[in-house]
Amino acid sequence: MRTSFNIPDEIVEEFDRVWADEGIENRSRAVREAMSEYIEAHSRLEERAGEIVALVGFDYRHHEVIGELHAVQHDYQDVIQSTSHTHQGEWCLESLFCRGDAEQVRELTYRLRDFDGVQRVKVMVIRDPSP
């Protein structure tokens, strides 16, 4: 299937540099691999039920969303066990160590992705906790 995407030039330039540096044969192949990784990363959380342990990392522009982000984190304090925050110039990087119901971790992730000031949200399901 052929398709087209509207992607900022700087992202395409960086993407092209990365796949070329890794020796991938062409952009189409690199996009297929990237899409497969995206599906795997997101479906892994989607398929979980019950209690999980997960790390949620995200970066954002502090001044644009900090109040709203704190409100969301307070809404999910029953699954967020600890947080870590660091400043990276005008961007902040935050990680949330979560343990709790998979549905709540999913909802938290979706809420974080709703903010325009949040650039990306990554979730790593560490494991299903032992009974």
Side-chain angles (χ1 to χ4, degrees):
M1 170 193 347
R2 291 196 177 271
T3 190
S4 64
F5 299 99
N6 191 7
I7 303 170
D9 291 341
E10 61 273 6
I11 292 176
V12 173
E13 290 168 6
E14 186 174 1
F15 183 75
D16 286 346
R17 181 189 52 77
V18 169
W19 67 258
D21 287 351
E22 290 185 3
I24 296 175
E25 59 200 48
N26 58 53
R27 184 186 289 157
S28 291
R29 171 70 186 237
V31 169
R32 284 193 304 274
E33 286 187 24
M35 291 174 85
S36 293
E37 287 181 23
Y38 180 88
I39 290 166
E40 180 182 319
H42 290 270
S43 65
R44 185 163 184 210
L45 179 59
E46 292 301 317
E47 294 168 355
R48 299 295 177 149
E51 188 171 303
I52 63 169
V53 175
L55 180 65
V56 179
F58 58 101
D59 60 336
Y60 60 95
R61 291 187 188 277
H62 178 87
H63 63 281
E64 293 179 19
V65 294
I66 191 62
E68 295 91 348
L69 283 176
H70 283 165
V72 168
Q73 290 182 32
H74 282 248
D75 290 344
Y76 291 90
Q77 63 186 339
D78 53 331
V79 295
I80 298 173
Q81 297 203 330
S82 67
T83 65
S84 177
H85 179 97
T86 185
H87 300 276
Q88 300 298 314
E90 64 185 55
W91 287 90
C92 294
L93 176 62
E94 190 130 355
S95 60
L96 311 174
F97 181 78
C98 301
R99 182 183 181 130
D101 184 65
E103 180 63 29
Q104 285 189 291
V105 175
R106 269 192 297 277
E107 289 174 7
L108 168 62
T109 302
Y110 297 155
R111 296 241 344 243
L112 294 172
R113 287 185 177 137
D114 280 343
F115 292 102
D116 288 338
V118 173
Q119 183 170 352
R120 74 190 132 240
V121 179
K122 299 286 186 178
V123 181
M124 180 185 353
V125 177
I126 299 170
R127 66 181 174 88
D128 294 318
S130 299

